Amino acid sequence: MRWTTNRQQLAVIAILLFSFSFLFSTTAKAQRAYSKPSDIPVEAFAALPGFANANISPDGTRLSYFVELDGQRQVLIQKLDGSETFRVPPPKEANFSGYRWANNEIILFQSSMTLQRRIFRSKTQETRWFSMDLNTKEFTWLGKPSRRKKERVSQTERIIDMLPDDPKHILLELDMNLDGMAEVYRTNVYNGRRAVEKGASRGVQNWYTDNNSEVRLGNGYSGAKFITKLKNSDGKWLDLKKADWANRYNIEGFTNSPDALFVSGISLHGTEGLYELNLQTGEITDTIFVHDAVDIDYAFENAETGKIEGVVYTDDFTRIKYLDRTKAKIQAGIDKALPDSVNTILSHIESKDWYFVLVESDQNSGDYFLYDRPNGQLNFIASVRGNMDPELMATVEEVSIPVRDDSEIPGYLIVPHGVELKNLPTIVMPHGGPYGVRDTAEWDYEAQFYASRGYLVLKPNFRGSGGYGVAFRVKGYKQWGGLMQDDVTDATNWLIQQGYADPERICIVGSSYGGYAALMGVIKEPSLYKCAISTNGVANLVRLKSGDKNNTIGGRSWTKRMGLDGADDEQVSPYHRAEEVSAPVLLMSSVDDARVPWKMSQNMHKRLKKLKKDSTYVKIEEGTHHMVTAQARLTALKAAENFLAKHIGE
C-alpha cells in the first residue's frame, strides 16, 4: 500500500467519471523540508493535526476545522474564500473532542475533561456540549443545571438527535440526578432552555431515536445485567430480554418502517453482518451487508437526518459501504479517480450538492477534497498534516502470523523507509482495549515516529481483538497473561524466524492494555525482550478490577472477562510479579487519566526500584488516558526515543 499521487505537484488531471469529467487539482509543490525520515523532529510527530475534522456549514459559506494552537485542539471558522477567520479555544481545563453545525447560525462544540468530584469515588472523564451563535460569538452551556430544580452536573452530555425538521432544537441526553438513569431533553440551541422529552427508566444510560426523531430504544446496565427496552409500533415499551431474537442479534438502527429494525448478527462466515429484522415475527427479512473476512463496525447514520445510509467495516482501513444509491455511485467514482487511497465521504452540503471527502493511505494521514458535483470538480482543500511528506513515511504491510495452536492471527508491519526488511531493531506494539479493539494499516503518529528512527514495528491483532468474528474475539476472554499474551509472544518469535527482527534488539511497547502486555512480556519471556515501555498501562490488575467493579456502571459485567481463567488475578498482575521483570522498563502515566489511575505506574516503578530493577518513570501532567495533547505526546515520544536508543539502538 503506497501513496502514489503527489499531492504537492501542480496538476490538472482529466478523468472520465460516470458521464462527465472530474477535475483534480492540487497545490504547487513546496520544497521538501527534510531529506530523510530521521531528519523529521520528534515535535512534528507529537504535534496534533494541523487541519482535521473539517466540515462546511449547511449553506456552504463557511469552513470549520480543528487546528493545533498552544498545544491544544482549537477550532478555526472562516469563509470559504479565507476571509473572516476566527478561532474558538476550548473551555478552561478542557479539550475539544468534537463539534457539529446545528444550522447556519449555530455551531455546537463538545468538550471533554477529567474531573475529581466528591460524589464520585475516582476521577471521571466528562463531556459538555456548548452552542455558539456565530453572529454574537456568545457561548451557551446546553447541559447547565438548574438551581431551582436542584439539578446536578451530568457526567456526560450526548446529542441523540439533531431534529432535522426543527433547526432550533436538538435532543440532548443528560443524567441531572447522577443516579445512572438518563433523561432526554428537547433543548434550544440558542438559549439552552430545555424540556423533558423522555423520562428516566431503570437501567437505561443510553437512549436512541428512530427515523422520525421519536425516542424508541434504551439500553444500559442494571447491576451486572445489560438490558434493552424498545417501543414498538403500538407505543408499548418492551423488555427485550423476553424476545428470542434479541439474544441472537444486536440492534443497529431503525428502518423507515416502524415494524422493522437494522440488526447485526453472525453470518455463515462467522463474521457479524447487517440485516433487516421484522419486529412482529422476529425473523430476518433481508441481508443488507456481509463481509466474508471481517465484521461490520456499525451502521452509519447521516449526521443531519439520523437515518442509516451505510455500513462501516474495517479490513486494512475503515471503509463505508453506502446503501444510498447516489452516494454509492459518487463513492465509486472517487475511488476510480483515486485508486491508490482510501476515500471517505464525510458530509454532503445539500444546498450546493457538494461532498466533503477525506483521502488517506498508510503513508498519508489524510488530505481533504471538496467534490463540486454540479461542476464535476474534485478540488484539493488541505492536508491533515501538511508538514509530513508521505514519500518519507514508512509503509505498512498486512501479515498473517502463525501461532502455537496451528491457527493464524493478522497483524501489520510498519517498515522503515528505504531499508531492507532484514535483521532490524524491532518494536512489538500490542494495542489497548483489549476486546473489540484492533489495529489497522492507517497512519499512526507513534508507529511512524519509531519507524523514522529506524525501528521495525509490528502491531499484532491477538485473539480478543475485534473485527474478525465473534469466535476470534471471545477466545481472548479471561486470557490476560494467557492466550492473548501467547499470541504476542508467537508474533515476536515469527519476526525472528523470518529474519526481519534482530533477536538481540526487540522491545515491547504499549499503552493501556498494551502497557499491561508489555510488562507481562518481560515477566513471562525473560530472554525475548530487551526492554519494555508501558504508557498509562495496567500495572496492577487487582486494583483495576476492583475499581471497575465497584465504581463504574456496568463494571460488574465487563470485569468478568478480565483476568485469566483458572488463575488468581495476582498471578497475572505485573505489580504482583514485579520480582520476575527481566529487562529495563520505562513507565509513563498521565495525572489526568480517568481510566487507569496514574499512580498505578508510579507504584510499579517504586516496587521495581525497591527490587533493584532497572526502571524509569515519567509523570505526564496533562494528556488523559488517550494522550490528547501535543505536550503529552512530545514528553512520551522523547522519553521513549532515549530509552530505545539506550537499550536496542545502534
Side-chain angles (χ1 to χ4, degrees):
M1 290 168 286
R2 289 181 179 273
W3 174 258
T4 59
T5 302
N6 190 339
R7 64 184 181 183
Q8 302 296 329
Q9 182 180 3
L10 181 61
V12 178
I13 307 172
I15 301 171
L16 184 63
L17 187 66
F18 311 139
S19 59
F20 55 82
S21 293
F22 240 122
L23 186 65
F24 172 51
S25 61
T26 59
T27 56
K29 183 175 181 178
Q31 185 176 358
R32 180 179 289 178
Y34 312 107
S35 60
K36 57 184 185 297
S38 59
D39 291 339
I40 304 174
V42 61
E43 288 81 2
F45 289 98
L48 301 179
F51 189 97
N53 295 74
N55 218 322
I56 295 178
S57 61
D59 61 4
T61 63
R62 289 188 173 97
L63 174 69
S64 55
Y65 53 96
F66 278 135
V67 65
E68 181 190 343
L69 292 171
D70 302 324
Q72 278 190 315
R73 269 183 165 185
Q74 300 194 27
V75 178
L76 286 189
I77 303 172
Q78 63 186 49
K79 290 289 186 69
L80 281 189
D81 62 7
S83 65
E84 299 183 21
T85 300
F86 66 95
R87 66 170 180 160
V88 183
K92 187 177 180 181
E93 298 180 353
N95 295 287
F96 277 138
S97 52
Y99 75 91
R100 61 199 306 178
W101 289 87
N103 54 52
N104 293 317
E105 298 175 320
I106 298 290
I107 189 167
L108 307 176
F109 297 94
Q110 185 185 46
S111 67
S112 62
M113 66 207 76
T114 301
L115 295 179
Q116 177 76 67
R117 290 203 262 166
R118 291 181 181 178
I119 193 170
F120 297 120
R121 298 178 184 177
S122 58
K123 290 181 180 178
T124 57
Q125 190 69 27
E126 310 206 9
T127 60
R128 307 277 186 269
W129 276 100
F130 300 85
S131 68
M132 187 183 73
D133 190 317
L134 294 177
N135 297 313
T136 65
K137 306 297 191 296
E138 293 182 357
F139 278 88
T140 300
W141 178 13
L142 299 180
K144 185 177 181 179
S146 168
R147 292 183 179 180
R148 179 174 56 85
K149 296 181 180 180
K150 296 182 180 180
E151 294 175 330
R152 292 173 171 170
V153 177
S154 179
Q155 181 181 343
T156 59
E157 301 176 6
R158 188 172 72 92
I159 296 174
I160 68 168
D161 203 299
M162 290 299 291
L163 298 178
D165 297 326
D166 182 2
K168 292 184 178 181
H169 294 86
I170 60 172
L171 293 185
L172 187 67
E173 180 186 276
L174 305 166
D175 178 5
M176 308 305 288
N177 300 315
L178 291 180
D179 57 3
M181 296 186 290
E183 307 90 24
V184 178
Y185 297 84
R186 182 176 291 266
T187 305
N188 189 301
V189 296
Y190 287 86
N191 55 34
R193 294 174 184 168
R194 59 180 181 265
V196 176
E197 182 82 7
K198 177 70 182 73
S201 181
R202 183 173 297 278
V204 175
Q205 290 92 46
N206 304 289
W207 294 103
Y208 304 89
T209 58
D210 64 11
N211 290 349
N212 296 314
S213 298
E214 181 182 359
V215 180
R216 287 191 55 208
L217 177 68
N219 61 29
Y221 285 95
S222 178
K225 295 182 179 179
F226 186 78
I227 64 172
T228 304
K229 298 179 180 181
L230 175 70
K231 188 177 182 180
N232 66 14
S233 57
D234 297 327
K236 296 180 180 179
W237 283 94
L238 309 175
D239 185 346
L240 292 190
K241 69 179 180 181
K242 301 177 182 178
D244 180 63
W245 63 264
N247 296 318
R248 302 193 307 273
Y249 302 103
N250 296 313
I251 298 173
E252 296 291 335
F254 292 90
T255 70
N256 289 325
S257 169
D259 289 321
L261 293 171
F262 287 119
V263 298
S264 59
I266 302 176
S267 70
L268 295 176
H269 304 288
T271 58
E272 290 192 331
L274 185 69
Y275 307 91
E276 185 173 309
L277 178 138
N278 184 293
L279 275 173
Q280 300 295 331
T281 64
E283 299 295 326
I284 296 297
T285 57
D286 192 14
T287 297
I288 307 301
F289 178 81
V290 168
H291 194 287
D292 61 358
V294 296
D295 299 328
I296 68 163
D297 294 337
Y298 56 90
F300 175 74
E301 292 184 355
N302 182 293
E304 286 74 38
T305 67
K307 294 183 179 180
I308 303 295
E309 62 178 21
V311 182
V312 176
Y313 68 98
T314 301
D315 44 27
D316 48 353
F317 289 87
T318 298
R319 307 175 192 269
I320 300 176
K321 173 73 173 180
Y322 281 100
L323 309 180
D324 177 85
R325 290 185 178 181
T326 299
K327 285 192 175 178
K329 187 177 180 181
I330 291 170
Q331 179 73 59
I334 294 172
D335 289 344
K336 184 177 180 181
L338 303 172
D340 297 315
S341 56
V342 177
N343 315 300
T344 305
I345 298 173
L346 300 175
S347 62
H348 179 212
I349 298 87
E350 292 188 10
S351 61
K352 304 284 188 179
D353 201 13
W354 291 347
Y355 292 82
F356 215 38
V357 181
L358 181 63
V359 177
E360 303 170 281
S361 78
D362 59 335
Q363 294 178 278
N364 182 12
S365 59
D367 294 326
Y368 285 96
F369 289 82
L370 185 64
Y371 171 38
D372 179 351
R373 191 184 183 201
N375 293 309
Q377 294 181 342
L378 183 65
N379 298 311
F380 175 76
I381 300 297
S383 297
V384 173
R385 293 177 179 268
N387 61 342
M388 287 291 183
D389 186 345
E391 293 182 7
L392 292 180
M393 295 295 104
T395 56
V396 181
E397 298 181 10
E398 187 176 10
V399 292
S400 186
I401 304 167
V403 290
R404 66 187 66 182
D405 62 1
D406 294 326
S407 62
E408 295 183 340
I409 63 169
Y412 294 92
L413 275 179
I414 297 85
V415 183
H417 174 79
V419 303
E420 183 182 2
L421 183 53
K422 183 179 180 181
N423 203 39
L424 295 174
T426 298
I427 292 169
V428 177
M429 198 160 79
H431 61 70
Y435 306 122
V437 180
R438 57 161 291 184
D439 276 316
T440 70
E442 294 172 3
W443 194 95
D444 169 40
Y445 82 91
E446 187 178 5
Q448 286 288 344
F449 170 70
Y450 294 141
S452 76
R453 271 42 182 176
Y455 300 105
L456 173 67
V457 179
L458 172 66
K459 294 182 175 183
N461 281 323
F462 46 82
R463 260 80 65 90
S465 302
Y468 299 103
V470 175
F472 191 91
R473 183 179 72 247
V474 169
K475 283 182 180 179
Y477 290 177
K478 294 286 288 182
Q479 288 298 317
W480 289 54
L483 179 65
M484 292 195 292
Q485 194 71 41
D486 292 342
D487 280 354
V488 176
T489 300
D490 293 348
T492 307
N493 284 320
W494 174 80
L495 286 173
I496 297 171
Q497 293 161 8
Q498 296 299 307
Y500 299 154
D502 180 345
E504 298 302 317
R505 292 191 295 166
I506 302 176
C507 191
I508 183 168
V509 178
S511 301
S512 194
Y513 172 82
Y516 166 88
L519 294 172
M520 287 301 295
V522 292
I523 289 172
K524 291 193 67 178
E525 307 297 332
S527 62
L528 189 59
Y529 303 108
K530 303 307 174 186
C531 60
I533 300 176
S534 170
T535 304
N536 294 328
V538 181
N540 189 329
L541 179 59
V542 176
R543 181 180 176 186
L544 184 74
K545 280 187 68 173
S546 175
D548 281 8
K549 185 176 181 180
N550 298 319
N551 302 333
T552 59
I553 296 173
R556 279 187 281 171
S557 175
W558 72 66
T559 52
K560 293 178 180 179
R561 301 192 293 267
M562 297 167 67
L564 179 62
D565 194 24
D568 293 334
D569 288 337
E570 290 188 2
Q571 294 177 258
V572 286
S573 173
Y575 179 84
H576 295 87
R577 293 180 62 176
E579 67 278 358
E580 299 175 61
V581 169
S582 60
V585 170
L586 170 62
L587 295 147
M588 297 183 278
S589 58
S590 301
V591 174
D592 59 349
D593 188 344
R595 180 65 192 98
V596 178
W598 71 275
K599 287 190 176 181
M600 192 179 288
S601 292
Q602 186 185 61
N603 290 338
M604 180 72 180
H605 169 68
K606 290 179 179 179
R607 182 166 172 77
L608 288 172
K609 296 301 286 185
K610 188 174 182 179
L611 292 166
K612 301 188 183 307
K613 302 285 185 176
D614 188 342
S615 177
T616 303
Y617 174 68
V618 175
K619 182 167 70 172
I620 298 169
E621 293 298 335
E622 183 181 31
T624 77
H625 186 65
H626 302 288
M627 307 292 280
V628 299
T629 67
Q631 184 56 53
R633 295 180 179 188
L634 180 61
T635 300
L637 290 184
K638 279 186 172 181
E641 182 176 26
N642 293 333
F643 182 81
L644 292 167
K646 178 180 179 180
H647 296 291
I648 63 170
E650 294 289 352

